[in-house]
């Protein structure tokens, strides 16, 4: 049966109603792809739900399975995070999240008050530029943390994507989720710098004349994920998220842009192997990974070149943000 947007919203409402009875819940709202009716991909979906609590929550993030194809991805916030809403408009993730969400629960009008204040002048050029620079700062921090003696591909990819989101932010909203690479293409184009997306794909090895064994890599990923998911409490690697990833991979492999799987595939695959390494169980799964990164030219012997590319990439992005700021009067 096809999962609809309305069914997902109602599932979130039921969860909020249940928790509101016992959990000191102040407010709740939906963010992400569900807000814009893009949650379902490959027959599976996640529901990005933010819960604001009266007291500091014990967890910052929680995954709750609702069916084989649907799960809640819950962010837990303390109400103090919303105490200075005018500062939230500068936050690169939380600012955009409260600018355009779907409120579900707000009996004290805390969220309504915070949102109204944060939305004020949210689109002003200097505020857009501040959010873009925050993404660049995050990218530089990730770049500096890369250790080529250890697993590095995920950190490298995250740094590059954070940089691309700096440009996406200038044109509208930052992007995340399974469609991330496709959405970045559109968002960076809207901002006037499509090279941010094409260069990102080149760094991930996605642009070139050689065919990529993406379907084979997804199959190898699934075997490693199955071996890993019962061994970790990391939210991104739990069994409840398997169908979400796999459905998205298969849908994109059947599209005109199969390379769009690469960021999520590489990021989660390397992290599953790190978990399996900790238990001495990665031996059967590592050869497929090594074959994939060799084909993408993301091996240890190419790391120095890739990191130099990342440095130059972030320099170009920073220059564009500065140029945009001057041109826009930020």
């Amino acid at each position: 049966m096809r999962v609809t947007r309305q069914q997902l919203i109602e599932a979130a409402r039921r969860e909020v109603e249940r928790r509101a009875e016992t959990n000191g819940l102040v407010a709740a709202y939906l963010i992400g792809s569900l807000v814009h009716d893009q949650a379902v991909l490959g027959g599976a979906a996640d529901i990005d739900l933010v819960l604001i609590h009266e007291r500091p929550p014990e967890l910052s993030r929680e995954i709750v399975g609702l069916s084989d194809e649907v799960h809640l991805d819950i962010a837990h916030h303390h109400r103090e995070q919303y105490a200075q809403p005018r500062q939230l408009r500068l936050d690169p993730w939380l600012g955009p999240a409260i600018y355009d969400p779907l409120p579900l629960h707000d009996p004290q009008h805390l969220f309504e008050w915070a949102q109204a204040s944060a939305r004020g002048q949210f689109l002003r050029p200097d505020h857009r530029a501040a959010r873009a620079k925050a993404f660049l700062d995050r990218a530089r921090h990730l770049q500096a943390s890369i250790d080529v003696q250890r697993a590095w591909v995920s950190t490298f990819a995250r740094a590059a994507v954070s940089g691309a989101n700096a440009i996406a932010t200038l044109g509208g909203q930052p992007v995340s989720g399974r469609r991330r690479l496709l959405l970045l293409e559109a968002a960076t184009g809207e901002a006037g710098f499509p090279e941010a997306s094409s260069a990102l794909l080149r760094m991930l090895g996605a642009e070139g004349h050689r065919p990529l064994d993406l379907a084979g890599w997804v199959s190898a990923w699934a075997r490693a994920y199955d071996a890993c998911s019962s061994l970790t409490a990391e939210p991104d690697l739990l069994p409840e998220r398997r169908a979400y990833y796999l459905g998205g991979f298969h849908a994109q492999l059947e599209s005109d842009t199969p390379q769009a799987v690469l960021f999520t595939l590489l990021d989660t695959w390397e992290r599953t192997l790190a978990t399996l390494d900790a238990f001495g169980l990665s031996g059967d799964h590592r050869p497929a990974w090594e074959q994939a990164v060799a084909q993408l030219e993301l091996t240890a012997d190419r790391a120095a070149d890739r990191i130099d590319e990342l440095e130059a990439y972030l320099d170009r992005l920073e220059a564009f943000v500065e140029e945009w700021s001057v041109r826009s009067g930020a």
Side-chain angles (χ1 to χ4, degrees), residues 265-304:
L265 179 69
L266 293 172
D267 178 50
T268 54
W269 195 0
E270 187 174 59
R271 289 154 66 195
T272 64
L273 291 173
T275 297
L276 292 172
D277 277 340
F279 288 87
L281 298 174
S282 66
D284 292 341
H285 302 282
R286 191 158 287 281
W289 165 261
E290 292 176 350
Q291 186 269 333
V293 295
Q295 196 169 355
L296 295 168
E297 299 183 354
L298 292 171
T299 49
D301 62 322
R302 293 299 309 276

Side-chain angles (χ1 to χ4, degrees), residues 172-210:
Q173 299 277 49
V175 304
S176 61
R178 297 173 292 176
R179 293 181 174 89
R180 188 171 340 216
L181 294 183
L182 290 178
L183 294 173
L184 279 171
E185 181 179 10
T188 56
E190 181 69 21
F193 194 46
E195 169 65 12
S197 173
S198 56
L200 169 62
L201 288 171
R202 286 195 297 273
M203 285 190 293
L204 295 179
E207 287 195 348
H209 298 296
R210 62 191 184 284

Side-chain angles (χ1 to χ4, degrees), residues 295-327:
Q295 196 169 355
L296 295 168
E297 299 183 354
L298 292 171
T299 49
D301 62 322
R302 293 299 309 276
D305 292 337
R306 290 301 199 192
I307 293 169
D308 286 346
E309 288 179 30
L310 176 62
E311 174 76 23
Y313 176 68
L314 295 179
D315 286 345
R316 292 198 303 275
L317 300 184
E318 187 171 2
F320 180 82
V321 170
E322 293 298 333
E323 174 193 331
W324 183 95
S325 299
V326 171
R327 183 167 17 101

Side-chain angles (χ1 to χ4, degrees), residues 66-86:
L66 300 179
S67 70
D68 290 342
E69 294 79 24
V70 178
H71 67 273
L72 290 156
D73 189 345
I74 304 174
H76 294 280
H77 294 174
H78 184 213
R79 67 179 299 156
E80 285 302 311
Q81 290 177 247
Y82 297 80
Q84 300 293 329
R86 291 184 180 179

Side-chain angles (χ1 to χ4, degrees), residues 97-111:
I98 68 174
Y99 180 80
D100 187 24
L102 179 59
L104 296 180
H105 177 78
D106 191 22
Q108 301 177 25
H109 303 288
L110 170 79
F111 181 74

Side-chain angles (χ1 to χ4, degrees), residues 4-330:
T4 68
R5 178 176 185 264
Q6 193 56 42
Q7 288 172 328
L8 297 174
I9 292 172
E10 288 306 313
R13 288 190 193 280
R14 289 194 296 271
E15 186 72 14
V16 169
E17 289 170 1
R18 183 179 69 81
R19 295 186 183 231
E21 296 176 357
T22 58
N23 282 21
L25 191 63
V26 176
Y29 59 98
L30 288 169
I31 60 173
S33 57
L34 179 54
V35 175
H36 304 288
D37 199 16
Q38 295 180 326
V40 181
L41 182 64
D46 72 342
I47 301 170
D48 293 307
L49 177 62
V50 180
L51 302 181
I52 305 175
H53 300 273
E54 186 69 44
R55 296 176 296 278
E58 295 180 4
L59 297 174
S60 61
R61 188 177 174 203
E62 179 185 6
I63 304 296
V64 178
L66 300 179
S67 70
D68 290 342
E69 294 79 24
V70 178
H71 67 273
L72 290 156
D73 189 345
I74 304 174
H76 294 280
H77 294 174
H78 184 213
R79 67 179 299 156
E80 285 302 311
Q81 290 177 247
Y82 297 80
Q84 300 293 329
R86 291 184 180 179
Q87 292 302 310
L88 292 181
R89 64 171 70 125
L90 305 180
D91 187 293
W93 282 119
L94 190 51
I98 68 174
Y99 180 80
D100 187 24
L102 179 59
L104 296 180
H105 177 78
D106 191 22
Q108 301 177 25
H109 303 288
L110 170 79
F111 181 74
E112 180 183 1
W113 167 77
Q115 183 189 44
S117 297
R119 272 181 166 177
Q121 301 177 342
F122 181 83
L123 299 178
R124 209 169 73 183
D126 58 332
H127 293 152
R128 289 193 186 206
R131 294 192 295 272
K133 289 173 183 177
F135 274 116
L136 286 173
D137 288 345
R138 173 63 174 163
R140 295 289 190 187
H141 176 77
L142 288 166
Q143 176 196 20
S145 72
I146 294 173
D147 180 355
V148 298
Q149 302 304 315
R150 303 168 65 87
W152 65 278
V153 173
S154 174
T155 306
F156 168 82
R158 283 173 174 259
V161 166
S162 184
N165 256 328
I167 306 304
T169 294
L170 297 178
Q173 299 277 49
V175 304
S176 61
R178 297 173 292 176
R179 293 181 174 89
R180 188 171 340 216
L181 294 183
L182 290 178
L183 294 173
L184 279 171
E185 181 179 10
T188 56
E190 181 69 21
F193 194 46
E195 169 65 12
S197 173
S198 56
L200 169 62
L201 288 171
R202 286 195 297 273
M203 285 190 293
L204 295 179
E207 287 195 348
H209 298 296
R210 62 191 184 284
L212 302 177
D213 184 20
L214 293 168
W217 299 346
V218 167
S219 295
W221 170 93
R223 292 190 293 272
Y225 195 94
D226 289 343
C228 157
S229 59
S230 64
L231 303 175
T232 181
E234 186 177 349
D236 282 334
L237 304 181
L238 293 178
E240 290 84 353
R241 285 178 68 82
R242 183 186 190 274
Y244 166 79
Y245 290 130
L246 203 54
F249 290 153
H250 287 157
Q252 291 177 93
L253 289 179
E254 294 170 3
S255 74
D256 294 333
T257 53
Q259 69 274 15
V261 305
L262 272 176
F263 173 78
T264 303
L265 179 69
L266 293 172
D267 178 50
T268 54
W269 195 0
E270 187 174 59
R271 289 154 66 195
T272 64
L273 291 173
T275 297
L276 292 172
D277 277 340
F279 288 87
L281 298 174
S282 66
D284 292 341
H285 302 282
R286 191 158 287 281
W289 165 261
E290 292 176 350
Q291 186 269 333
V293 295
Q295 196 169 355
L296 295 168
E297 299 183 354
L298 292 171
T299 49
D301 62 322
R302 293 299 309 276
D305 292 337
R306 290 301 199 192
I307 293 169
D308 286 346
E309 288 179 30
L310 176 62
E311 174 76 23
Y313 176 68
L314 295 179
D315 286 345
R316 292 198 303 275
L317 300 184
E318 187 171 2
F320 180 82
V321 170
E322 293 298 333
E323 174 193 331
W324 183 95
S325 299
V326 171
R327 183 167 17 101
S328 304

